[in-house]
């Protein structure tokens, strides 16, 4: 079997779509006009990804406000925010260039999603001729909606967690029912939880074990056969060509990461300074049996934050090196992160979102060619 490969999820939104989102926030256009731009961007994303030869595609998250807030509001600015949420929550991430991203704050219960990922799948699947994947947000990220030190009147943290787990399970099951072949759970807060940033109070509270346990409460509701197609994505963030936790040593995260009973893991690695050391750690920690499922490590071989397009030979070399440490039947290839996890993203290092979008498809093509080359070098079946 050749080395499997798949995208993480997001693609840069065209400038025209980003302008439409801003116009919608300002009340200058209605939702129908916004949806027309989203439809066009989704169709373009799917067709261009299919044209790369990718065995599995996504809509590039063109309809999402962001990977983290899509269940909560129509746009990143908070238009159409769900019930029992205020827009003055805590920062979940502060990036190296100084900008930050903020979550809403829970004000009451019960907690319910406003939008489910299945709604994106239902629309995207009509546009696709290849299998579709869908990214969803981890319950551990949404756990940060609850105030750190105060209790929400009439709604305990455990009541919230119970509702949250139910909603996350519903989100994943709905995506599969709508036709998604694979669902990956975004877990960027995992690496952040290993930091102690005085400007971001939640990061210094040793929350990683609780995050892992909460995510497993969702995963353990699925059978081993279902979990083969449920993944976990980890990265040091990616927004406006900046990261939020690239300085965190993978050694602080990896032992806990593979405690989650997911079938596969999409892991940022292309931009790591010492990739071989991390490959070795993965090989030591990845499990052959995670409650009935063999875990696979899809290593990042493409850096979405850098406009330089990796060559297929570079991708191939990374995978061949990784195969020295990670069993070949547990090795896959992916991109470090989504290419633009937040809907409003100017991509400053790339020059413009439209140019970044073109570059993204070139990078995806290199990933596919490089994975095919590595499959041949490693004596695996030729990639289809």
């Amino acid at each position: 079997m050749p080395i499997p490969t798949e995208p993480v999820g997001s693609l840069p939104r065209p400038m025209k779509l980003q302008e439409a989102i801003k116009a919608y926030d300002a009340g200058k256009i209605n939702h129908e006009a916004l949806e027309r731009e989203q439809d066009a961007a989704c169709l373009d994303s799917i067709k261009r990804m299919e044209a790369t030869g990718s065995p599995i595609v996504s809509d590039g998250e063109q309809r999402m406000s962001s990977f983290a807030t899509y269940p909560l509001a129509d746009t990143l600015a908070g238009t159409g925010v769900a019930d029992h949420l205020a827009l003055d929550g805590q920062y979940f991430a502060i990036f190296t260039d100084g900008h930050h991203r903020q979550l809403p704050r829970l004000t009451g219960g019960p907690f319910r999603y406003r939008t489910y990922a299945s709604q994106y799948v239902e629309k995207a699947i009509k546009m696709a001729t290849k299998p579709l994947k869908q990214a969803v947000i981890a319950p551990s990220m949404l756990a940060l909606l609850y105030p750190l030190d105060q209790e929400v009147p009439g709604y305990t943290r455990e009541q919230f967690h119970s509702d949250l787990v139910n909603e996350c399970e519903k989100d994943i099951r709905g995506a599969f029912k709508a036709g998604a072949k694979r669902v990956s759970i975004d877990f960027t807060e995992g690496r952040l939880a290993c930091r102690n940033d005085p400007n971001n109070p939640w990061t210094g509270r040793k929350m990683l074990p609780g995050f892992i346990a909460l995510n497993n409460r969702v995963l353990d509701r699925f059978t081993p056969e279902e979990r083969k197609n449920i993944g976990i994505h980890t990265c040091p963030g990616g927004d406006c060509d900046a990261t939020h936790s690239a300085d965190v040593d993978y050694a602080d995260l990896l032992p806990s990461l593979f405690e989650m009973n997911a079938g596969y893991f999409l892991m940022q690695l292309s931009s790591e300074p010492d990739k071989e050391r991390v490959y070795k750690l993965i090989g030591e920690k990845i499990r052959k049996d995670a409650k009935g499922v063999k875990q696979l490590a899809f290593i990042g071989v493409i850096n979405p934050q850098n406009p330089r397009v990796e060559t297929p030979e570079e991708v191939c070399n990374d995978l061949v090196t990784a195969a020295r440490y990670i069993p070949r039947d547990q090795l896959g290839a992916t991109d470090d992160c989504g290419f633009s996890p937040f809907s409003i993203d100017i991509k400053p290092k790339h020059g413009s979102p439209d140019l970044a979008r073109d570059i993204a498809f070139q990078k995806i093509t290199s990933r596919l060619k490089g994975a095919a080359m590595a499959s041949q070098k490693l004596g695996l079946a030729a990639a289809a």
Side-chain angles (χ1 to χ4, degrees), residues 290-313:
K291 285 196 171 181
V293 62
K294 179 173 65 177
Q295 295 178 331
L296 273 67
F298 283 64
I299 65 166
V301 291
I302 295 295
N303 181 5
Q305 308 306 313
N306 189 335
R308 187 186 75 83
V309 178
E310 295 83 352
T311 66
E313 290 77 14

Side-chain angles (χ1 to χ4, degrees), residues 152-325:
V152 175
Y155 194 49
T156 67
R157 194 179 302 272
E158 184 46 48
Q159 286 174 321
F160 167 60
H161 283 177
S162 179
D163 286 341
L164 174 57
V165 167
N166 289 338
E167 289 296 278
C168 289
E169 179 191 7
K170 182 178 177 180
D171 202 30
I172 295 169
R173 290 199 183 281
F176 281 128
K177 186 176 181 181
K181 182 178 180 180
R182 304 268 273 186
V183 174
S184 60
I185 300 170
D186 286 322
F187 184 53
T188 189
E189 66 281 8
R191 200 156 174 180
L192 259 176
C194 299
R195 293 196 78 192
N196 186 1
D197 184 350
N199 296 312
N200 199 4
W202 76 263
T203 65
R205 298 196 176 210
K206 302 186 184 303
M207 296 178 76
L208 183 60
F211 284 173
I212 299 295
L214 189 61
N215 293 342
N216 268 337
R217 284 175 63 177
V218 174
L219 289 166
D220 290 349
R221 293 186 175 190
F222 293 86
T223 67
E225 192 63 29
E226 290 171 325
R227 283 186 283 115
K228 286 180 182 178
N229 290 310
I230 300 176
I232 299 287
H233 167 58
T234 182
C235 71
D239 184 36
C240 299
D241 294 332
T243 59
H244 56 54
S245 55
D247 58 334
V248 172
D249 192 330
Y250 252 130
D252 295 336
L253 173 65
L254 283 180
S256 299
L257 185 72
F258 293 114
E259 290 175 5
M260 287 185 286
N261 298 314
Y264 71 103
F265 295 80
L266 302 159
M267 306 177 65
Q268 168 267 345
L269 266 164
S270 176
S271 53
E272 279 294 303
D274 188 353
K275 292 182 276 192
E276 196 162 350
R277 171 176 168 268
V278 184
Y279 300 154
K280 186 173 186 292
L281 285 170
I282 293 170
E284 292 170 353
K285 299 300 181 183
I286 196 167
R287 290 190 284 167
K288 287 282 189 184
D289 185 357
K291 285 196 171 181
V293 62
K294 179 173 65 177
Q295 295 178 331
L296 273 67
F298 283 64
I299 65 166
V301 291
I302 295 295
N303 181 5
Q305 308 306 313
N306 189 335
R308 187 186 75 83
V309 178
E310 295 83 352
T311 66
E313 290 77 14
E314 288 172 325
V315 170
C316 174
N317 288 341
D318 280 351
L319 289 166
V320 170
T321 302
R324 297 176 191 164
Y325 306 99

Side-chain angles (χ1 to χ4, degrees), residues 33-250:
L34 173 61
E35 195 166 15
R36 283 196 295 270
E37 294 301 331
Q38 291 171 331
D39 287 342
C42 285
L43 181 61
D44 183 69
S45 298
I46 290 169
K47 294 308 176 188
R48 292 178 73 178
M49 195 175 292
E50 288 186 339
T52 67
S54 180
I56 189 166
V57 300
S58 81
D59 68 358
E61 301 178 11
Q62 305 295 286
R63 301 182 194 278
M64 285 185 174
S65 55
S66 78
F67 77 101
T69 57
Y70 72 86
L72 312 176
D74 289 343
T75 71
L76 200 53
T79 301
V81 69
D83 293 340
H84 308 304
L85 292 174
L87 297 179
D88 60 349
Q90 60 196 331
Y91 300 153
F92 87 80
I94 300 173
F95 290 80
T96 51
D97 63 358
H99 85 279
H100 64 267
R101 293 297 188 180
Q102 190 172 17
L103 288 170
R105 174 176 56 85
L106 193 71
T107 60
F111 173 73
R112 297 289 184 269
Y113 283 14
R114 189 178 190 277
T115 302
Y116 294 90
S118 60
Q119 295 167 245
Y120 306 128
V121 178
E122 287 165 0
K123 294 176 180 178
I125 205 161
K126 297 173 185 177
M127 301 176 176
T129 61
K130 290 189 174 182
L132 197 75
K133 77 158 289 186
Q134 179 63 48
V136 300
I137 190 57
S140 50
M141 172 66 83
L142 297 183
L144 296 172
L145 298 173
Y146 203 97
L148 285 178
D149 296 311
Q150 293 81 37
E151 185 165 299
V152 175
Y155 194 49
T156 67
R157 194 179 302 272
E158 184 46 48
Q159 286 174 321
F160 167 60
H161 283 177
S162 179
D163 286 341
L164 174 57
V165 167
N166 289 338
E167 289 296 278
C168 289
E169 179 191 7
K170 182 178 177 180
D171 202 30
I172 295 169
R173 290 199 183 281
F176 281 128
K177 186 176 181 181
K181 182 178 180 180
R182 304 268 273 186
V183 174
S184 60
I185 300 170
D186 286 322
F187 184 53
T188 189
E189 66 281 8
R191 200 156 174 180
L192 259 176
C194 299
R195 293 196 78 192
N196 186 1
D197 184 350
N199 296 312
N200 199 4
W202 76 263
T203 65
R205 298 196 176 210
K206 302 186 184 303
M207 296 178 76
L208 183 60
F211 284 173
I212 299 295
L214 189 61
N215 293 342
N216 268 337
R217 284 175 63 177
V218 174
L219 289 166
D220 290 349
R221 293 186 175 190
F222 293 86
T223 67
E225 192 63 29
E226 290 171 325
R227 283 186 283 115
K228 286 180 182 178
N229 290 310
I230 300 176
I232 299 287
H233 167 58
T234 182
C235 71
D239 184 36
C240 299
D241 294 332
T243 59
H244 56 54
S245 55
D247 58 334
V248 172
D249 192 330
Y250 252 130

